[in-house]
Structures are given as C-alpha cells and as structure tokens.
Amino acid sequence: MVFYKFFHLSKSEKRIFFEAGYKTLLVRIVTTLYNTRKYASWLGQQHVETDTIEPTIQVREEILQVKKAMSRCRYLVWARKCLVEAIAAKRMLDRRNIPATLYMGVAKDKNGKMIAHAWLRSGNIWITGGRNRHGFTVVGIFS
C-alpha cells in the first residue's frame, strides 16, 4: 500500500521526500556518532526564537511541503526519532531561507524516568513533534 501511494506522488513531492530521507539519514548518523556539543553549531543560533507570525502564502506552502515530507519519513527506520526529524526539517527549511526554531525539552515519565523530546516550529506552524510538546520543560532553543 505504501509503495502504491509513493508512485502516485508528483515529481516535486518525490523530490522533497528523497531530500527528507537523505537529511534524516545524515542527521541520524551525526547524532549517533557525536554528542550534542559537537553538532550544536549545526542547529543554528542558540537561545533565539523566530517570530510566530503567519508566513506568506508562498512560504507557508513550502513549510507545509517540508512538514508533509517529514511525516512521510515515518516509514524510514532511521527517521523515527523526534530529534532526527526536527534537525532534518530545520536543515531543509534553512536551505530554503525559511526561519525556524528547534526546541529541546525534558520531562519525567510515569515511572519518574527522565525523557527528552525535540520539536520544530516555523512561523505559527508546528512542523515536527509539536503535538507532543506539552509537559516538557524547554532546555534548548535554536534558530
């Protein structure tokens, strides 16, 4: 069923899906091999948030294309981590000169164990992880 849907995508949708797949693979390799301090400069300017205003129609369309491509990446084994998704989507938006803010947060689960989450916002649009951001204390912001 998934392959059937893929072959019915437009060329531009396939192109951005492959870009998302490549970026998530690259980010997964980097985040696996290195600690956060090594790739923090790759994330953008620390402690700075972008505006939460409504983007123009053209920019909004590009943001939504990246969001859709990232949601399609859930079928890729290496892309199933919130941090990988958030960083890859941010890099895709950076390439398009679209400002975005990456958030990193921590919380405790039901058993008292520390858990982490990452999510990405551009303008007033939550691109990755935004639905699950509630209950997390933000410990890092990059734009």
Side-chain angles (χ1 to χ4, degrees):
M1 184 67 160
V2 173
F3 292 111
Y4 175 80
K5 287 182 179 181
F6 175 78
F7 289 111
H8 285 81
L9 297 177
S10 68
K11 282 185 181 182
S12 64
E13 287 176 311
K14 287 178 186 172
R15 191 176 321 115
I16 197 166
F17 171 74
F18 282 120
E19 179 187 358
Y22 167 75
K23 295 278 189 196
T24 54
L25 180 59
L26 180 63
V27 170
R28 180 61 182 256
I29 291 168
V30 169
T31 57
T32 300
L33 296 178
Y34 301 102
N35 65 31
T36 309
R37 277 182 261 133
K38 292 273 189 181
Y39 61 84
S41 63
W42 210 37
L43 303 177
Q45 190 175 4
Q46 194 171 6
H47 307 300
V48 177
E49 280 188 276
T50 56
D51 291 331
T52 59
I53 58 173
E54 176 79 23
T56 63
I57 293 171
Q58 181 181 355
V59 170
R60 181 179 180 77
E61 194 59 39
E62 288 185 76
I63 292 169
L64 293 176
Q65 286 175 351
V66 170
K67 180 177 180 168
K68 185 177 264 187
M70 293 310 299
S71 72
R72 288 179 173 139
C73 281
R74 70 180 178 267
Y75 297 108
L76 304 175
V77 175
W78 62 84
R80 293 184 181 164
K81 288 194 169 200
C82 59
L83 182 62
V84 171
E85 289 180 357
I87 294 173
K90 181 163 185 338
R91 299 295 294 176
M92 290 174 71
L93 292 173
D94 287 348
R95 185 173 161 270
R96 291 162 174 77
N97 295 315
I98 298 173
T101 302
L102 186 145
Y103 299 88
M104 294 180 183
V106 294
K108 289 189 176 184
D109 68 7
K110 295 174 186 175
N111 300 324
K113 183 180 175 186
M114 187 71 73
I115 56 173
H117 184 51
W119 58 99
L120 185 71
R121 176 191 55 78
S122 182
N124 62 351
I125 302 170
W126 296 101
I127 298 157
T128 66
R131 200 177 311 154
N132 301 326
R133 73 186 188 279
H134 304 291
F136 285 88
T137 301
V138 175
V139 295
I141 298 173
F142 297 89
S143 66

